[in-house]
Amino acid sequence: YNPLRSPPSYMLNDSLEIIQKYLKYRQIRLEELEELLELEDFVFIRGHTKPYAYEVLDDGLGFLTPEDLIEFDLAIDEYINHEYFKCPATAEEIVKGITVLREERENGLYLSILETFIGVIDRLFKEQQSADNENNEPKDHKRRKDKSNIVIYPQSVLFEAQRPWGRQGEQCGVYVVSLQSLLKDLTPNRLTPNG
């Protein structure tokens, strides 16, 4: 721990008044940054900013990666502890940048989950169509059967439909999945003894 790391060592040759101004403005910048981060629902650890910034965010991180947090710590360190008068970003720009990145990471994750989910549903319907063709089932038969002829995906769980959700409100094909099948635990049965 080196308390003389901030202010920068070359300032130690200056007068006490200049060092006090540096410390005063650093405190103002720190308070401004803390206020802006709290407005965006981040939990900021003030004690992790001196003599260098490390792990300054504790909560409200969303899906930010460890690399994102390291870069943010470096930006905070430059903004508060170094030659802050040369820092190219304002507190507003730093906070907006991490907030936008948090939203992008969250949206990216949810999009990936959605695309994977749609891929699984597509595969289930293709398997069902293939099984229906082998069993000479009618085309609107939307159930998947295994070798023992037990219904696994009844229409109460998964089916195709038309809804007015196109860009101009036109009808478009959609998959309908029961929320209960997604969000609730399955009751244990002989196919899924653990639920």
Side-chain angles (χ1 to χ4, degrees):
Y1 176 72
N2 179 5
L4 297 180
R5 183 180 182 280
S6 179
S9 59
Y10 70 84
M11 289 186 75
L12 298 178
N13 296 329
D14 294 329
S15 69
L16 183 60
E17 183 181 332
I18 291 175
I19 293 173
Q20 286 176 330
K21 278 186 180 179
Y22 173 91
L23 295 173
K24 176 184 173 189
Y25 285 118
R26 180 173 70 180
Q27 187 66 25
I28 290 169
R29 291 167 80 94
L30 180 61
E31 289 170 3
E32 176 187 26
L33 185 67
E34 185 174 23
E35 183 180 324
L36 290 169
L37 285 167
E38 286 176 1
L39 287 174
E40 294 296 339
D41 296 324
F42 287 103
V43 175
F44 181 71
I45 305 175
R46 179 184 277 242
H48 286 198
T49 59
K50 297 183 256 180
Y52 58 89
Y54 65 96
E55 299 177 0
V56 296
L57 295 179
D58 185 46
D59 200 6
L61 306 176
F63 299 101
L64 292 170
T65 67
E67 293 79 19
D68 296 336
L69 296 174
I70 289 169
E71 284 187 34
F72 182 70
D73 287 342
L74 292 172
I76 296 302
D77 201 41
E78 182 178 11
Y79 181 75
I80 293 175
N81 293 321
H82 292 286
E83 300 176 66
Y84 59 71
F85 38 85
K86 293 183 179 177
C87 184
T90 65
E92 290 86 359
E93 291 169 337
I94 292 171
V95 172
K96 182 178 180 181
I98 195 71
T99 303
V100 167
L101 184 60
R102 177 179 61 182
E103 291 169 3
E104 287 174 1
R105 295 283 189 246
E106 182 176 3
N107 291 340
L109 176 69
Y110 290 145
L111 180 60
S112 177
I113 291 169
L114 180 61
E115 288 172 344
T116 302
F117 185 64
I118 290 172
V120 168
I121 291 175
D122 281 337
R123 193 184 82 227
L124 291 175
F125 273 107
K126 287 177 185 171
E127 288 176 7
Q128 178 59 49
Q129 289 170 351
S130 175
D132 287 349
N133 291 340
E134 289 175 13
N135 297 328
N136 295 323
E137 296 283 356
K139 188 172 181 164
D140 64 345
H141 180 76
K142 300 279 192 267
R143 296 181 297 180
R144 181 174 182 253
K145 297 178 182 180
D146 68 3
K147 293 178 183 173
S148 61
N149 207 29
I150 297 171
V151 175
I152 297 178
Y153 303 112
Q155 281 192 315
S156 62
V157 173
L158 174 66
F159 62 94
E160 293 175 296
Q162 293 286 318
R163 297 288 190 268
W165 296 338
R167 292 184 186 268
Q168 305 296 322
E170 70 273 11
Q171 295 284 327
C172 60
V174 298
Y175 295 122
V176 179
V177 180
S178 161
L179 281 179
Q180 184 165 347
S181 67
L182 285 177
L183 304 177
K184 304 277 185 193
D185 289 336
L186 184 65
T187 305
N189 57 50
R190 69 183 171 105
L191 290 176
T192 55
N194 295 328

mmCIF file of all heavy atoms in Angstrom, residues 5-6 8 22 26 29 33 49 51-54 70-89 94:
data_model
loop_
_atom_site.group_PDB
_atom_site.id
_atom_site.type_symbol
_atom_site.label_atom_id
_atom_site.label_comp_id
_atom_site.label_asym_id
_atom_site.label_seq_id
_atom_site.Cartn_x
_atom_site.Cartn_y
_atom_site.Cartn_z
ATOM 1 N N ARG A 5 0.891 7.137 -4.114
ATOM 2 C CA ARG A 5 0.637 6.821 -5.522
ATOM 3 C C ARG A 5 -0.313 7.865 -6.125
ATOM 4 O O ARG A 5 -0.280 8.159 -7.298
ATOM 5 C CB ARG A 5 0.036 5.423 -5.612
ATOM 6 C CG ARG A 5 -0.194 4.961 -7.017
ATOM 7 C CD ARG A 5 -0.797 3.563 -7.010
ATOM 8 N NE ARG A 5 -0.980 3.081 -8.352
ATOM 9 C CZ ARG A 5 -1.968 3.410 -9.139
ATOM 10 N NH1 ARG A 5 -2.869 4.275 -8.736
ATOM 11 N NH2 ARG A 5 -2.064 2.916 -10.356
ATOM 12 N N SER A 6 -1.198 8.369 -5.313
ATOM 13 C CA SER A 6 -2.137 9.380 -5.754
ATOM 14 C C SER A 6 -2.176 10.444 -4.669
ATOM 15 O O SER A 6 -2.469 10.126 -3.518
ATOM 16 C CB SER A 6 -3.517 8.775 -5.933
ATOM 17 O OG SER A 6 -4.439 9.750 -6.332
ATOM 18 N N PRO A 8 -0.210 11.979 -8.238
ATOM 19 C CA PRO A 8 1.000 11.538 -8.949
ATOM 20 C C PRO A 8 2.263 12.072 -8.274
ATOM 21 O O PRO A 8 2.280 13.194 -7.756
ATOM 22 C CB PRO A 8 0.814 12.132 -10.351
ATOM 23 C CG PRO A 8 -0.654 12.328 -10.495
ATOM 24 C CD PRO A 8 -1.164 12.635 -9.124
ATOM 25 N N TYR A 22 -5.724 19.366 -5.673
ATOM 26 C CA TYR A 22 -5.828 18.062 -6.354
ATOM 27 C C TYR A 22 -6.733 17.130 -5.545
ATOM 28 O O TYR A 22 -7.653 16.511 -6.084
ATOM 29 C CB TYR A 22 -4.438 17.436 -6.529
ATOM 30 C CG TYR A 22 -4.478 16.025 -7.080
ATOM 31 C CD1 TYR A 22 -4.424 15.797 -8.447
ATOM 32 C CD2 TYR A 22 -4.576 14.926 -6.224
ATOM 33 C CE1 TYR A 22 -4.467 14.499 -8.950
ATOM 34 C CE2 TYR A 22 -4.624 13.637 -6.719
ATOM 35 C CZ TYR A 22 -4.564 13.428 -8.080
ATOM 36 O OH TYR A 22 -4.623 12.148 -8.582
ATOM 37 N N ARG A 26 -10.417 15.669 -6.524
ATOM 38 C CA ARG A 26 -10.575 14.219 -6.577
ATOM 39 C C ARG A 26 -11.789 13.814 -5.747
ATOM 40 O O ARG A 26 -12.587 12.970 -6.176
ATOM 41 C CB ARG A 26 -9.327 13.506 -6.070
ATOM 42 C CG ARG A 26 -9.504 11.986 -6.138
ATOM 43 C CD ARG A 26 -8.266 11.235 -5.808
ATOM 44 N NE ARG A 26 -7.953 11.376 -4.392
ATOM 45 C CZ ARG A 26 -6.922 10.816 -3.823
ATOM 46 N NH1 ARG A 26 -6.069 10.102 -4.538
ATOM 47 N NH2 ARG A 26 -6.706 10.969 -2.542
ATOM 48 N N ARG A 29 -14.944 14.653 -7.678
ATOM 49 C CA ARG A 29 -15.146 13.691 -8.765
ATOM 50 C C ARG A 29 -15.639 12.354 -8.222
ATOM 51 O O ARG A 29 -16.517 11.715 -8.806
ATOM 52 C CB ARG A 29 -13.847 13.503 -9.550
ATOM 53 C CG ARG A 29 -13.446 14.723 -10.351
ATOM 54 C CD ARG A 29 -12.017 14.628 -10.845
ATOM 55 N NE ARG A 29 -11.889 13.805 -12.028
ATOM 56 C CZ ARG A 29 -11.913 14.258 -13.276
ATOM 57 N NH1 ARG A 29 -12.066 15.548 -13.487
ATOM 58 N NH2 ARG A 29 -11.771 13.446 -14.290
ATOM 59 N N LEU A 33 -19.207 10.686 -9.207
ATOM 60 C CA LEU A 33 -19.232 9.342 -9.780
ATOM 61 C C LEU A 33 -20.123 8.418 -8.955
ATOM 62 O O LEU A 33 -20.949 7.676 -9.509
ATOM 63 C CB LEU A 33 -17.800 8.790 -9.830
ATOM 64 C CG LEU A 33 -17.610 7.459 -10.504
ATOM 65 C CD1 LEU A 33 -17.896 7.569 -11.996
ATOM 66 C CD2 LEU A 33 -16.184 6.974 -10.290
ATOM 67 N N THR A 49 -11.362 2.695 -4.042
ATOM 68 C CA THR A 49 -10.890 3.635 -5.064
ATOM 69 C C THR A 49 -9.508 4.198 -4.773
ATOM 70 O O THR A 49 -8.900 4.817 -5.648
ATOM 71 C CB THR A 49 -11.862 4.823 -5.206
ATOM 72 O OG1 THR A 49 -11.972 5.490 -3.950
ATOM 73 C CG2 THR A 49 -13.223 4.363 -5.680
ATOM 74 N N PRO A 51 -5.515 3.501 -2.899
ATOM 75 C CA PRO A 51 -4.757 4.417 -3.757
ATOM 76 C C PRO A 51 -4.944 4.113 -5.239
ATOM 77 O O PRO A 51 -4.559 4.888 -6.082
ATOM 78 C CB PRO A 51 -3.310 4.191 -3.327
ATOM 79 C CG PRO A 51 -3.280 2.770 -2.883
ATOM 80 C CD PRO A 51 -4.636 2.517 -2.272
ATOM 81 N N TYR A 52 -5.538 2.955 -5.553
ATOM 82 C CA TYR A 52 -5.893 2.666 -6.943
ATOM 83 C C TYR A 52 -7.253 1.977 -6.925
ATOM 84 O O TYR A 52 -7.654 1.384 -5.920
ATOM 85 C CB TYR A 52 -4.831 1.794 -7.630
ATOM 86 C CG TYR A 52 -4.574 0.479 -6.961
ATOM 87 C CD1 TYR A 52 -5.307 -0.651 -7.299
ATOM 88 C CD2 TYR A 52 -3.616 0.365 -5.960
ATOM 89 C CE1 TYR A 52 -5.090 -1.860 -6.666
ATOM 90 C CE2 TYR A 52 -3.393 -0.842 -5.315
ATOM 91 C CZ TYR A 52 -4.134 -1.951 -5.674
ATOM 92 O OH TYR A 52 -3.923 -3.144 -5.036
ATOM 93 N N ALA A 53 -7.969 2.070 -8.024
ATOM 94 C CA ALA A 53 -9.322 1.510 -8.090
ATOM 95 C C ALA A 53 -9.258 0.021 -8.397
ATOM 96 O O ALA A 53 -8.583 -0.407 -9.321
ATOM 97 C CB ALA A 53 -10.125 2.240 -9.163
ATOM 98 N N TYR A 54 -9.960 -0.759 -7.590
ATOM 99 C CA TYR A 54 -10.055 -2.203 -7.804
ATOM 100 C C TYR A 54 -11.409 -2.682 -7.291
ATOM 101 O O TYR A 54 -11.850 -2.284 -6.223
ATOM 102 C CB TYR A 54 -8.920 -2.942 -7.079
ATOM 103 C CG TYR A 54 -8.994 -2.837 -5.574
ATOM 104 C CD1 TYR A 54 -9.592 -3.840 -4.819
ATOM 105 C CD2 TYR A 54 -8.515 -1.720 -4.905
ATOM 106 C CE1 TYR A 54 -9.691 -3.741 -3.440
ATOM 107 C CE2 TYR A 54 -8.602 -1.609 -3.533
ATOM 108 C CZ TYR A 54 -9.190 -2.627 -2.803
ATOM 109 O OH TYR A 54 -9.303 -2.519 -1.445
ATOM 110 N N ILE A 70 -12.826 -5.165 -15.071
ATOM 111 C CA ILE A 70 -11.425 -4.736 -15.010
ATOM 112 C C ILE A 70 -11.243 -3.444 -15.793
ATOM 113 O O ILE A 70 -10.602 -2.497 -15.327
ATOM 114 C CB ILE A 70 -10.493 -5.853 -15.528
ATOM 115 C CG1 ILE A 70 -10.439 -7.004 -14.515
ATOM 116 C CG2 ILE A 70 -9.089 -5.313 -15.796
ATOM 117 C CD1 ILE A 70 -9.757 -8.256 -15.030
ATOM 118 N N GLU A 71 -11.829 -3.376 -16.991
ATOM 119 C CA GLU A 71 -11.737 -2.153 -17.798
ATOM 120 C C GLU A 71 -12.400 -0.969 -17.084
ATOM 121 O O GLU A 71 -11.895 0.151 -17.127
ATOM 122 C CB GLU A 71 -12.381 -2.373 -19.165
ATOM 123 C CG GLU A 71 -11.526 -3.188 -20.105
ATOM 124 C CD GLU A 71 -12.110 -3.254 -21.507
ATOM 125 O OE1 GLU A 71 -12.731 -2.259 -21.953
ATOM 126 O OE2 GLU A 71 -11.941 -4.297 -22.147
ATOM 127 N N PHE A 72 -13.519 -1.255 -16.430
ATOM 128 C CA PHE A 72 -14.203 -0.184 -15.692
ATOM 129 C C PHE A 72 -13.330 0.306 -14.543
ATOM 130 O O PHE A 72 -13.205 1.515 -14.317
ATOM 131 C CB PHE A 72 -15.555 -0.677 -15.175
ATOM 132 C CG PHE A 72 -16.332 0.371 -14.443
ATOM 133 C CD1 PHE A 72 -16.888 1.441 -15.123
ATOM 134 C CD2 PHE A 72 -16.488 0.305 -13.070
ATOM 135 C CE1 PHE A 72 -17.600 2.424 -14.451
ATOM 136 C CE2 PHE A 72 -17.201 1.279 -12.385
ATOM 137 C CZ PHE A 72 -17.753 2.331 -13.077
ATOM 138 N N ASP A 73 -12.717 -0.613 -13.810
ATOM 139 C CA ASP A 73 -11.813 -0.222 -12.717
ATOM 140 C C ASP A 73 -10.672 0.657 -13.231
ATOM 141 O O ASP A 73 -10.297 1.642 -12.588
ATOM 142 C CB ASP A 73 -11.240 -1.460 -12.015
ATOM 143 C CG ASP A 73 -12.260 -2.181 -11.150
ATOM 144 O OD1 ASP A 73 -13.297 -1.573 -10.814
ATOM 145 O OD2 ASP A 73 -12.020 -3.351 -10.803
ATOM 146 N N LEU A 74 -10.133 0.309 -14.396
ATOM 147 C CA LEU A 74 -9.047 1.117 -14.971
ATOM 148 C C LEU A 74 -9.534 2.521 -15.331
ATOM 149 O O LEU A 74 -8.828 3.513 -15.109
ATOM 150 C CB LEU A 74 -8.463 0.420 -16.201
ATOM 151 C CG LEU A 74 -7.697 -0.874 -15.929
ATOM 152 C CD1 LEU A 74 -7.329 -1.574 -17.236
ATOM 153 C CD2 LEU A 74 -6.452 -0.594 -15.100
ATOM 154 N N ALA A 75 -10.755 2.597 -15.867
ATOM 155 C CA ALA A 75 -11.319 3.908 -16.210
ATOM 156 C C ALA A 75 -11.539 4.747 -14.947
ATOM 157 O O ALA A 75 -11.245 5.948 -14.925
ATOM 158 C CB ALA A 75 -12.630 3.733 -16.970
ATOM 159 N N ILE A 76 -12.035 4.115 -13.888
ATOM 160 C CA ILE A 76 -12.253 4.824 -12.621
ATOM 161 C C ILE A 76 -10.920 5.277 -12.040
ATOM 162 O O ILE A 76 -10.786 6.393 -11.531
ATOM 163 C CB ILE A 76 -13.000 3.926 -11.610
ATOM 164 C CG1 ILE A 76 -14.393 3.591 -12.127
ATOM 165 C CG2 ILE A 76 -13.063 4.577 -10.235
ATOM 166 C CD1 ILE A 76 -15.269 4.777 -12.407
ATOM 167 N N ASP A 77 -9.917 4.401 -12.136
ATOM 168 C CA ASP A 77 -8.589 4.745 -11.621
ATOM 169 C C ASP A 77 -8.040 5.972 -12.334
ATOM 170 O O ASP A 77 -7.521 6.894 -11.706
ATOM 171 C CB ASP A 77 -7.651 3.544 -11.798
ATOM 172 C CG ASP A 77 -6.455 3.620 -10.876
ATOM 173 O OD1 ASP A 77 -6.622 4.004 -9.702
ATOM 174 O OD2 ASP A 77 -5.352 3.286 -11.331
ATOM 175 N N GLU A 78 -8.187 5.994 -13.653
ATOM 176 C CA GLU A 78 -7.705 7.147 -14.420
ATOM 177 C C GLU A 78 -8.504 8.405 -14.077
ATOM 178 O O GLU A 78 -7.948 9.490 -13.961
ATOM 179 C CB GLU A 78 -7.802 6.853 -15.916
ATOM 180 C CG GLU A 78 -7.270 7.979 -16.778
ATOM 181 C CD GLU A 78 -7.316 7.657 -18.267
ATOM 182 O OE1 GLU A 78 -7.949 6.654 -18.655
ATOM 183 O OE2 GLU A 78 -6.719 8.429 -19.033
ATOM 184 N N TYR A 79 -9.796 8.244 -13.880
ATOM 185 C CA TYR A 79 -10.671 9.390 -13.611
ATOM 186 C C TYR A 79 -10.433 9.995 -12.222
ATOM 187 O O TYR A 79 -10.543 11.205 -12.036
ATOM 188 C CB TYR A 79 -12.129 8.953 -13.742
ATOM 189 C CG TYR A 79 -13.122 10.053 -13.519
ATOM 190 C CD1 TYR A 79 -13.338 11.034 -14.481
ATOM 191 C CD2 TYR A 79 -13.841 10.131 -12.328
ATOM 192 C CE1 TYR A 79 -14.241 12.056 -14.273
ATOM 193 C CE2 TYR A 79 -14.760 11.150 -12.114
ATOM 194 C CZ TYR A 79 -14.952 12.109 -13.087
ATOM 195 O OH TYR A 79 -15.848 13.115 -12.876
ATOM 196 N N ILE A 80 -10.093 9.149 -11.249
ATOM 197 C CA ILE A 80 -9.986 9.629 -9.873
ATOM 198 C C ILE A 80 -8.544 9.779 -9.386
ATOM 199 O O ILE A 80 -8.214 10.744 -8.711
ATOM 200 C CB ILE A 80 -10.755 8.694 -8.915
ATOM 201 C CG1 ILE A 80 -12.237 8.795 -9.204
ATOM 202 C CG2 ILE A 80 -10.478 9.025 -7.460
ATOM 203 C CD1 ILE A 80 -13.085 7.840 -8.407
ATOM 204 N N ASN A 81 -7.674 8.834 -9.714
ATOM 205 C CA ASN A 81 -6.368 8.761 -9.051
ATOM 206 C C ASN A 81 -5.179 9.280 -9.855
ATOM 207 O O ASN A 81 -4.147 9.564 -9.273
ATOM 208 C CB ASN A 81 -6.073 7.314 -8.645
ATOM 209 C CG ASN A 81 -7.015 6.835 -7.576
ATOM 210 O OD1 ASN A 81 -7.361 7.577 -6.666
ATOM 211 N ND2 ASN A 81 -7.453 5.603 -7.706
ATOM 212 N N HIS A 82 -5.304 9.340 -11.128
ATOM 213 C CA HIS A 82 -4.141 9.739 -11.931
ATOM 214 C C HIS A 82 -4.224 11.230 -12.250
ATOM 215 O O HIS A 82 -4.792 11.996 -11.492
ATOM 216 C CB HIS A 82 -4.069 8.889 -13.200
ATOM 217 C CG HIS A 82 -3.757 7.458 -12.899
ATOM 218 N ND1 HIS A 82 -2.511 7.032 -12.532
ATOM 219 C CD2 HIS A 82 -4.543 6.362 -12.880
ATOM 220 C CE1 HIS A 82 -2.523 5.726 -12.319
ATOM 221 N NE2 HIS A 82 -3.755 5.298 -12.521
ATOM 222 N N GLU A 83 -3.687 11.583 -13.371
ATOM 223 C CA GLU A 83 -3.756 12.985 -13.797
ATOM 224 C C GLU A 83 -5.162 13.221 -14.354
ATOM 225 O O GLU A 83 -5.380 13.254 -15.557
ATOM 226 C CB GLU A 83 -2.683 13.255 -14.856
ATOM 227 C CG GLU A 83 -1.277 12.991 -14.359
ATOM 228 C CD GLU A 83 -0.251 13.162 -15.459
ATOM 229 O OE1 GLU A 83 -0.075 14.292 -15.930
ATOM 230 O OE2 GLU A 83 0.363 12.156 -15.835
ATOM 231 N N TYR A 84 -6.105 13.342 -13.423
ATOM 232 C CA TYR A 84 -7.505 13.399 -13.835
ATOM 233 C C TYR A 84 -7.799 14.581 -14.740
ATOM 234 O O TYR A 84 -8.735 14.557 -15.515
ATOM 235 C CB TYR A 84 -8.445 13.401 -12.630
ATOM 236 C CG TYR A 84 -8.254 14.528 -11.671
ATOM 237 C CD1 TYR A 84 -8.618 15.820 -12.001
ATOM 238 C CD2 TYR A 84 -7.713 14.300 -10.416
ATOM 239 C CE1 TYR A 84 -8.445 16.860 -11.118
ATOM 240 C CE2 TYR A 84 -7.542 15.342 -9.525
ATOM 241 C CZ TYR A 84 -7.906 16.615 -9.878
ATOM 242 O OH TYR A 84 -7.728 17.638 -8.999
ATOM 243 N N PHE A 85 -6.984 15.611 -14.687
ATOM 244 C CA PHE A 85 -7.186 16.768 -15.566
ATOM 245 C C PHE A 85 -6.873 16.411 -17.007
ATOM 246 O O PHE A 85 -7.204 17.158 -17.915
ATOM 247 C CB PHE A 85 -6.336 17.953 -15.100
ATOM 248 C CG PHE A 85 -4.974 17.565 -14.585
ATOM 249 C CD1 PHE A 85 -3.908 17.387 -15.444
ATOM 250 C CD2 PHE A 85 -4.787 17.344 -13.227
ATOM 251 C CE1 PHE A 85 -2.661 17.018 -14.967
ATOM 252 C CE2 PHE A 85 -3.541 16.979 -12.740
ATOM 253 C CZ PHE A 85 -2.466 16.803 -13.606
ATOM 254 N N LYS A 86 -6.247 15.249 -17.246
ATOM 255 C CA LYS A 86 -5.985 14.773 -18.606
ATOM 256 C C LYS A 86 -6.932 13.637 -19.006
ATOM 257 O O LYS A 86 -6.845 13.124 -20.105
ATOM 258 C CB LYS A 86 -4.546 14.262 -18.725
ATOM 259 C CG LYS A 86 -3.487 15.329 -18.599
ATOM 260 C CD LYS A 86 -2.114 14.731 -18.801
ATOM 261 C CE LYS A 86 -1.028 15.787 -18.696
ATOM 262 N NZ LYS A 86 0.322 15.189 -18.830
ATOM 263 N N CYS A 87 -7.814 13.241 -18.113
ATOM 264 C CA CYS A 87 -8.736 12.129 -18.384
ATOM 265 C C CYS A 87 -9.678 12.514 -19.523
ATOM 266 O O CYS A 87 -10.332 13.555 -19.465
ATOM 267 C CB CYS A 87 -9.531 11.778 -17.133
ATOM 268 S SG CYS A 87 -10.608 10.356 -17.359
ATOM 269 N N PRO A 88 -9.764 11.684 -20.579
ATOM 270 C CA PRO A 88 -10.575 12.044 -21.741
ATOM 271 C C PRO A 88 -12.083 11.901 -21.531
ATOM 272 O O PRO A 88 -12.857 12.389 -22.333
ATOM 273 C CB PRO A 88 -10.098 11.064 -22.816
ATOM 274 C CG PRO A 88 -9.621 9.878 -22.049
ATOM 275 C CD PRO A 88 -9.070 10.418 -20.759
ATOM 276 N N ALA A 89 -12.509 11.250 -20.445
ATOM 277 C CA ALA A 89 -13.939 10.996 -20.248
ATOM 278 C C ALA A 89 -14.443 11.714 -19.003
ATOM 279 O O ALA A 89 -13.719 11.895 -18.032
ATOM 280 C CB ALA A 89 -14.188 9.503 -20.115
ATOM 281 N N ILE A 94 -18.418 7.841 -18.432
ATOM 282 C CA ILE A 94 -17.976 6.559 -17.861
ATOM 283 C C ILE A 94 -19.173 5.752 -17.382
ATOM 284 O O ILE A 94 -19.301 4.559 -17.673
ATOM 285 C CB ILE A 94 -16.971 6.801 -16.707
ATOM 286 C CG1 ILE A 94 -15.666 7.382 -17.261
ATOM 287 C CG2 ILE A 94 -16.699 5.513 -15.947
ATOM 288 C CD1 ILE A 94 -14.692 7.858 -16.195
#
